[in-house]
Amino acid sequence: MAILVKAELAGVTTDQYDALNSKLQALPGNPFEGCLSHVCVPTGSGLVVYNLWESEEAMEKFMGIVMPVAQEVGLPQGSQPEISPVHGYWTP
C-alpha cells in the first residue's frame, strides 16, 4: 500500500538539503527506489518534505540509507514524520 510521508525539518537550510541530495545521488544503485514522488518546500523555519512511497517497507529501506548521510552533512534530528495511507494517486 502506498504511503504519504510529511517530514518537517526545522532548522534545515536549502543548502543542507542540496548537499544531502548530492551525496545520496552519488551512492551506488538507486537509494530512492520505491519513491514515487518527492517535494521539498522551504518555510520560515526550515523545510517540509513530502514523499509518496510505494510502500512503508520502501520508505524504511530509504531511511536506513538517508539517516547516516544526513548526520554526515550535519542535519539536525527532526521530529517523527507524519505517515498516512494513500487511497489513490495518479500522475498526469
Side-chain angles (χ1 to χ4, degrees):
M1 168 189 290
I3 60 168
L4 179 67
V5 178
K6 176 186 175 187
E8 296 189 29
L9 308 174
V12 176
T13 68
T14 54
D15 287 341
Q16 288 172 307
Y17 169 86
D18 292 342
L20 175 65
N21 272 324
S22 291
K23 287 192 173 282
L24 289 171
Q25 290 173 8
L27 293 175
N30 179 9
F32 307 102
E33 186 174 356
C35 185
L36 303 172
S37 185
H38 172 83
V39 176
C40 176
V41 180
T43 67
S45 62
L47 304 173
V48 178
V49 175
Y50 299 89
N51 286 310
L52 178 62
W53 290 97
E54 65 185 17
S55 68
E56 192 163 349
E57 293 78 19
M59 184 263 315
E60 289 172 357
K61 182 178 177 185
F62 176 74
M63 293 304 290
I65 296 168
V66 73
M67 293 309 290
V69 179
Q71 289 177 341
E72 182 182 321
V73 297
L75 268 68
Q77 178 92 21
S79 59
Q80 287 291 340
E82 181 181 320
I83 301 173
S84 304
V86 173
H87 172 72
Y89 64 91
W90 59 276
T91 302

